[in-house]
Amino acid sequence: VQLQASGGGLVQAGDSRRLSCAASIRAFTSAVTAWFRQAPGKEREFVAAVRWQGARTYGADSVKGRFAIFRDSIKKMVYLQLHSLRPEDTALYYCAAGDYIRRTADGYDYWGQGTLVTVSS
């Protein structure tokens, strides 16, 4: 397993949640770690990405101001902090690693298994 995502669960609208992604050494050598999500019946959607060098971050417009991505280089962890959750944020959240910032899933080489976030209204 290259990436291990965790932290999902059942929350209420307006709640906050932190998702974690543990990267193996192999995945850690990739330049970028990203979060995607996939809701039932929908395509996998880019959420946010961070560069290991310099920690520059990128986010989807749909989550700007509510979600934040950050990394801990020492622990080899990447986090996705979710705030002001909405029912439409319900999805399987995946972390992924690759060499470039891409907003499509095919741009990443390594994937975690996904962690489910369910937001009730």
Side-chain angles (χ1 to χ4, degrees):
V1 176
Q2 307 293 336
L3 297 162
Q4 188 79 27
S6 61
L10 175 62
V11 298
Q12 293 191 336
D15 282 354
S16 296
R17 194 82 173 184
R18 178 175 292 184
L19 306 182
S20 301
C21 177
S24 68
I25 291 176
R26 185 173 181 181
F28 179 69
T29 58
S30 299
V32 173
T33 301
W35 285 93
F36 283 76
R37 66 183 181 183
Q38 189 164 18
K42 294 189 176 182
E43 292 187 354
R44 197 165 294 191
E45 173 191 25
F46 172 80
V47 177
V50 62
R51 293 186 184 279
W52 285 103
Q53 292 278 357
R56 183 173 179 179
T57 63
Y58 306 80
D61 290 341
S62 60
V63 302
K64 275 184 180 176
R66 298 192 301 123
F67 293 5
I69 186 171
F70 57 99
R71 92 280 187 269
D72 184 325
S73 298
I74 295 174
K75 295 182 179 179
K76 298 184 183 60
M77 297 287 293
V78 175
Y79 303 96
L80 185 68
Q81 182 66 50
L82 316 175
H83 294 295
S84 303
L85 283 162
R86 304 167 181 169
E88 54 265 37
D89 294 320
T90 294
L92 262 173
Y93 284 73
Y94 297 89
C95 56
D99 291 329
Y100 304 98
I101 294 291
R102 294 285 186 266
R103 294 176 183 258
T104 56
D106 59 4
Y108 293 85
D109 302 312
Y110 304 104
W111 288 86
Q113 83 289 3
T115 186
L116 179 62
V117 175
T118 303
V119 185
S120 63
S121 57

